[in-house]
Amino acid sequence: MECRVCSEIADFAVMSFADPDPMERSAGMSSKGYRRVYYRCQGCHSFNSDLDHNAPLADIFNKNYYEHVDGETISGKFDRVMAMGPDESDNWQRVDRILSSVQRYQKQFGLVRSNVVLDVGAGTGVFLARLKRAAPEFSGIAVEPDDKACEHLESVLQAQVICDVMRPGLLK
């Protein structure tokens, strides 16, 4: 498949799923004939799903995806997760891992291009909000296909929000 980030070939299958995730199930997705595969891109090494964003399934991801499962609002989820401590939310560890990797690469290779983070599938915005609190020098770009989530992201993040699916040319 063509990489949605850089348009190179993404053909190394990294993981596959034979059952829908809880959000897909709550939106009526059946296990019958279900299969999703994530491929690694040869060029930029990003991961791409074989989910067809033009198919009817895309409606699940474009309309209230984050509120399907439990009825909690996206703002409620954001507030609840932001109030969690480091041992309760994986976002703390993710931010720490990324900042530590960036610092290591900067020291080891002298790489300092910019401090912009691209969050594809930004969802509730917790990751970028945590990152901004830990390292205010970073700025973010949030890419998210769910219209309601984009409204939320614009209200809680100091970041550029792109309401779309990730695809080649989106960030140009």
Side-chain angles (χ1 to χ4, degrees):
M1 74 181 296
E2 183 178 293
C3 176
R4 290 185 176 100
V5 176
C6 74
S7 301
E8 292 290 323
I9 301 296
D11 63 354
F12 181 75
V14 177
M15 63 185 127
S16 64
F17 300 90
D19 290 307
D21 69 28
M23 291 183 189
E24 291 170 322
R25 281 195 300 277
S26 72
M29 177 61 62
S30 169
S31 293
K32 184 178 181 182
Y34 181 93
R35 183 167 184 264
R36 181 176 309 174
V37 181
Y38 286 86
Y39 298 94
R40 188 178 70 215
C41 173
Q42 292 177 7
C44 68
H45 303 286
S46 67
F47 295 99
N48 290 255
S49 166
D50 62 354
L51 172 68
D52 180 357
H53 288 281
N54 298 313
L57 177 61
D59 286 343
I60 294 171
F61 295 94
N62 295 332
K63 296 179 183 141
N64 302 323
Y65 176 76
Y66 297 97
E67 296 178 359
H68 268 293
V69 175
D70 55 15
E72 183 179 19
T73 67
I74 194 164
S75 296
K77 283 180 174 62
F78 176 83
D79 292 341
R80 182 174 46 79
V81 176
M82 287 299 289
M84 292 178 176
D87 295 333
E88 300 171 296
S89 169
D90 65 332
N91 287 287
W92 287 83
Q93 291 86 22
R94 188 175 308 131
V95 166
D96 287 346
R97 280 193 313 272
I98 288 172
L99 291 176
S100 143
S101 293
V102 167
Q103 290 169 353
R104 187 174 65 249
Y105 293 142
Q106 286 174 337
K107 283 181 185 175
Q108 189 173 0
F109 302 111
L111 301 177
V112 184
R113 290 187 184 168
S114 71
N115 287 336
V116 179
V117 173
L118 175 63
D119 187 358
V120 178
T124 61
V126 170
F127 169 72
L128 282 178
R130 284 255 182 252
L131 179 70
K132 190 76 175 155
R133 283 188 187 176
E137 69 275 13
F138 277 84
S139 62
I141 301 172
V143 177
E144 173 58 51
D146 183 298
D147 293 335
K148 204 166 189 178
C150 288
E151 289 176 25
H152 163 77
L153 292 167
E154 288 170 350
S155 73
V156 299
L157 294 179
Q158 293 176 345
Q160 179 184 357
V161 176
I162 300 172
C163 199
D164 205 341
V165 294
M166 190 68 208
R167 55 189 158 71
L170 182 66
L171 301 175
K172 289 181 182 177

